[in-house]
Amino acid sequence: MEKKKPAGQPDKRQAIINGALALFARDGYTRASLDAIAAEAGVSNRTIYNHFNDKAELFQTVIQESTQRVADTVVDVIDRHLSKVVDLETDLVDLGLAWLAVLTSDLAPHFALIRQINAETEHIPPAALRLWQDTGPGRVRRELAARLRQIADRGHLTIDDPTRAAGHLMLLISADNLADRAMLNDKDEVTAMVSAGVHVFLYGYKR
Amino acid sequence: MEKKKPAGQPDKRQAIINGALALFARDGYTRASLDAIAAEAGVSNRTIYNHFNDKAELFQTVIQESTQRVADTVVDVIDRHLSKVVDLETDLVDLGLAWLAVLTSDLAPHFALIRQINAETEHIPPAALRLWQDTGPGRVRRELAARLRQIADRGHLTIDDPTRAAGHLMLLISADNLADRAMLNDKDEVTAMVSAGVHVFLYGYKR
DNA sequence: ACCCGATTACATCGTCCGTTGCATTTCATG
DNA sequence: CATGAAATGCAACGGACGATGTAATCGGGT
């Protein structure tokens, strides 16, 4: 009784977006059919067109939604680990582990979606592409850069270009992830990767 | 007379592979139609089926061919810059610049193809995926790791895991490339990125 | 000049997909 | 209970695409 279906507008739209995210992430824009998305969302094909004008609009909406969600969580992870630094190395390692935990969380499909975006670059309107860059990875990068600047100002590191340093740290933390994603399931390998990455970052920007 | 069309087998197959590479790289596996590939290759649709059983086989062939080509050149770049080291930092920077030059050379489509592969992971037979990993990025990584081990043995660096170090160097050299590929056209930005990346790598693995 | 395999143009089949129209059903609201 | 907006099921369209068959054409090797 609690979850009776409200025939009205409420959460159908969200269900569509979630289902579309799952299929776009796995199959890509072209391969993911609207019928399959409708089935995944537990919704009629026709209903999708009551909420979105066409497939492209749905795709862009999915990108924005998912990007917003993930950016929020990652920014939160950054703030939680770098707002007050006690021991820089262990704090950075913890940050890296928490970061990678997001990759295997329920937000995992988002990162498959990102790979789709990176592949579809030529077929996505540049405006949407810039918007994504700015509210997604760009925002995370800026947040991390700001934290690094604080840390540098306290004399722990020497950073001339915090934005670039933020990029370096992001890459070093998840280095092997780009080569072999299956490794994310081995806890020991993950900590080894993060520790090594943080170590290089720390000594690379030492003093 | 020199370039008379030999109606026979010779280079049609190569033309098909080249055309398919161009279209697969830009449009992805599903979006790239065989008619478009045939047109791009200056070849009849039917001829493609004289050389390949189906679209999937053509795709895998293209991946193997292009991967082989690019891995050869990149390995060559590595050997040319790290076989004899005079000044490690400038040699690494030169390596990085030569590396990035490949990304904008005539082999550029290959890296768009890689993004397609990364997106299509779920739809490519694992065997083909492993083969690609091994003959492509894996081979490059091993080659670079071997060179780094030599350098470390001579006392210039402290490297416990050369393979991981190779991964770090590859990422640090092309750091910003993942975020903004348009930057590859600005020579100053490229050298700044490479210099910064090499610097972090060098001090990160300093003895 | 002849032959044979490669190539081509063309036509076709079956399928899937995006999109729309329409009639029907569902349910919260008043 | 009546109303209306939202959702659904169904059918259909136009188009694109992978794949195959066939007959004609081309061009080099004997």
Side-chain angles (χ1 to χ4, degrees):
Chain A
M1 302 211 202
E2 328 301 323
K3 318 193 281 183
K4 267 303 176 189
K5 289 191 176 182
Q9 325 82 336
D11 41 12
K12 293 282 181 182
R13 182 187 176 93
Q14 199 56 46
I16 295 173
I17 293 179
N18 291 338
L21 169 59
L23 289 200
F24 280 142
R26 175 160 56 87
D27 296 344
Y29 178 78
T30 310
R31 212 190 287 256
S33 76
L34 284 176
D35 285 337
I37 293 175
E40 175 77 19
V43 151
S44 168
N45 175 323
R46 203 62 181 75
T47 301
I48 298 182
Y49 285 94
N50 291 344
H51 291 272
F52 306 94
N53 288 325
D54 54 16
K55 196 182 183 183
E57 184 184 313
L58 172 60
F59 189 55
Q60 291 194 27
T61 305
V62 168
I63 292 178
Q64 292 179 33
E65 264 262 350
S66 184
T67 299
Q68 187 68 40
R69 261 202 296 250
V70 174
D72 284 347
T73 13
V74 175
V75 164
D76 191 62
V77 167
I78 294 176
D79 290 349
R80 193 158 49 238
H81 286 84
L82 294 188
S83 52
K84 338 179 177 178
V85 175
V86 305
D87 179 51
L88 187 52
E89 180 154 9
T90 64
D91 284 337
L92 285 180
V93 171
D94 287 346
L95 167 64
L97 292 177
W99 185 300
L100 293 181
V102 178
L103 297 190
T104 57
S105 70
D106 54 313
L107 303 122
H110 174 76
F111 300 94
L113 183 69
I114 287 184
R115 291 192 285 277
Q116 302 295 343
I117 297 176
N118 274 328
E120 293 263 352
T121 298
E122 307 274 0
H123 304 281
I124 300 179
L129 219 49
R130 253 179 293 111
L131 181 75
W132 164 71
Q133 279 276 2
D134 205 57
T135 64
R139 180 178 156 217
V140 170
R141 202 180 159 102
R142 285 192 299 274
E143 182 70 15
L144 182 56
R147 295 298 181 184
L148 290 180
R149 183 192 292 276
Q150 291 178 5
I151 295 173
D153 287 346
R154 283 192 215 117
H156 298 98
L157 296 173
T158 301
I159 300 179
D160 7 299
D161 187 340
T163 303
R164 172 165 287 136
H168 284 168
L169 180 56
M170 292 194 293
L171 288 178
L172 288 171
I173 278 179
S174 57
D176 297 341
N177 177 39
L178 298 176
D180 175 22
R181 271 186 295 283
M183 160 232 39
L184 287 177
N185 299 324
D186 188 326
K187 207 162 181 294
D188 292 335
E189 277 199 69
V190 170
T191 59
M193 171 183 76
V194 172
S195 302
V198 166
H199 182 272
V200 171
F201 176 80
L202 224 49
Y203 283 78
Y205 284 98
K206 195 82 180 188
R207 196 206 324 217
Chain B
M1 294 237 211
E2 326 302 323
K3 313 196 284 181
K4 267 303 177 192
K5 287 194 178 183
Q9 328 79 337
D11 41 13
K12 293 283 181 181
R13 181 186 175 93
Q14 198 56 46
I16 294 173
I17 293 180
N18 291 338
L21 169 60
L23 289 200
F24 280 142
R26 175 160 56 85
D27 297 343
Y29 178 78
T30 309
R31 213 190 287 256
S33 77
L34 284 175
D35 284 337
I37 293 175
E40 174 79 18
V43 150
S44 167
N45 175 323
R46 201 66 179 76
T47 302
I48 298 182
Y49 285 94
N50 291 344
H51 291 272
F52 307 92
N53 288 325
D54 55 16
K55 197 182 182 183
E57 183 183 315
L58 172 62
F59 189 55
Q60 292 195 26
T61 305
V62 168
I63 292 178
Q64 291 180 33
E65 264 262 350
S66 186
T67 299
Q68 187 69 38
R69 262 202 296 250
V70 174
D72 284 347
T73 34
V74 173
V75 164
D76 191 63
V77 166
I78 293 175
D79 290 347
R80 194 158 50 239
H81 286 84
L82 294 187
S83 52
K84 344 180 174 174
V85 175
V86 305
D87 179 51
L88 186 51
E89 179 155 10
T90 64
D91 284 337
L92 285 180
V93 171
D94 287 346
L95 166 64
L97 292 177
W99 184 300
L100 293 181
V102 178
L103 297 191
T104 56
S105 70
D106 54 313
L107 303 122
H110 173 77
F111 300 94
L113 184 69
I114 287 185
R115 289 191 286 278
Q116 301 293 345
I117 296 175
N118 273 328
E120 294 264 352
T121 298
E122 307 275 0
H123 304 280
I124 300 178
L129 220 48
R130 254 179 293 114
L131 180 75
W132 164 70
Q133 279 278 3
D134 204 58
T135 64
R139 180 177 156 218
V140 169
R141 201 180 159 102
R142 285 192 298 274
E143 182 71 15
L144 183 55
R147 295 299 182 183
L148 290 180
R149 183 191 292 275
Q150 291 178 4
I151 295 173
D153 287 346
R154 283 192 214 115
H156 298 97
L157 295 174
T158 302
I159 300 179
D160 5 298
D161 187 339
T163 302
R164 172 167 286 138
H168 284 168
L169 180 57
M170 293 195 293
L171 288 178
L172 288 171
I173 279 179
S174 56
D176 297 341
N177 176 39
L178 299 176
D180 175 21
R181 270 186 296 283
M183 160 232 39
L184 287 176
N185 298 323
D186 188 326
K187 206 162 180 295
D188 291 335
E189 277 198 70
V190 170
T191 59
M193 171 182 76
V194 173
S195 302
V198 167
H199 181 273
V200 171
F201 176 82
L202 224 48
Y203 283 80
Y205 284 95
K206 198 86 177 186
R207 102 166 1 274

